[in-house]
Amino acid sequence: MSIEIANESGVEVDTDAILAVARHALDEMGVNPLAELSILLVDIDYMAELNHRWMGSDGPTDVLAFPMDEGSVDHGPGESGAGEPALLGDIVLAPEVAAKQAAAAGHTPADELHLLTVHGALHLLGYDHAEPEEEREMFALQAKLLQSWRAGRKAG
């Protein structure tokens, strides 16, 4: 699985752990091992700009997920595209927003970033939480993935 991460937030974070939780979530969800994902950590101002431009909301948010439009991928002659690695898309995280939420929720900023990474990955895989039933399904899956990842870290 190809996962690129860039920390442009100005906040020091454990990018190895973010990569690990993203890889765990995608592996557990049965995503093609050749899939590609990009994770970008940004400051509050840039996240607010993205949130306004793409979601029509004011102020920064904690996580945005931008799925790659598979239909836009060019295939060469004779290539059907079947079985090719998926271009999943981008997850954008705001560590400063995550830190505020972590304090309010009573856990560490790192735990909040791990949760948001899994949340973003699930959005890229088509999960949503607009409706109550969708929210229950997505958040239960999110909790299960985080729990299994944390259990694996403690065992290792």
Side-chain angles (χ1 to χ4, degrees), residues 90-103:
D90 304 314
I91 297 172
V92 183
L93 301 167
E96 292 168 281
V97 176
K100 289 177 186 167
Q101 290 177 178

Side-chain angles (χ1 to χ4, degrees), residues 23-75:
R23 186 175 311 278
H24 174 79
L26 297 175
D27 285 347
E28 290 293 307
M29 295 301 294
V31 172
N32 184 327
L34 298 176
E36 297 177 16
L37 170 67
S38 170
I39 301 172
L40 178 63
L41 293 95
V42 300
D43 64 24
I44 284 180
D45 291 340
Y46 190 60
M47 183 57 105
E49 182 183 318
L50 289 175
N51 196 31
H52 180 74
R53 185 183 325 153
W54 297 103
M55 306 305 290
S57 299
D58 288 329
T61 188
D62 49 5
V63 59
L64 289 171
F66 297 100
M68 178 63 71
D69 180 7
E70 280 290 316
S72 69
V73 177
D74 289 326
H75 300 290

Side-chain angles (χ1 to χ4, degrees), residues 80-139:
S80 67
E84 286 195 13
L87 299 171
L88 294 177
D90 304 314
I91 297 172
V92 183
L93 301 167
E96 292 168 281
V97 176
K100 289 177 186 167
Q101 290 177 178
H107 53 242
T108 68
D111 284 340
E112 186 72 11
L113 283 170
H114 303 156
L115 180 151
L116 295 172
T117 300
V118 171
H119 188 87
L122 289 174
H123 273 308
L124 292 180
L125 297 176
Y127 288 86
D128 200 2
H129 47 84
E131 300 296 326
E133 184 55 40
E134 292 175 332
E135 182 175 341
R136 278 191 293 280
E137 179 186 8
M138 182 176 179
F139 284 61

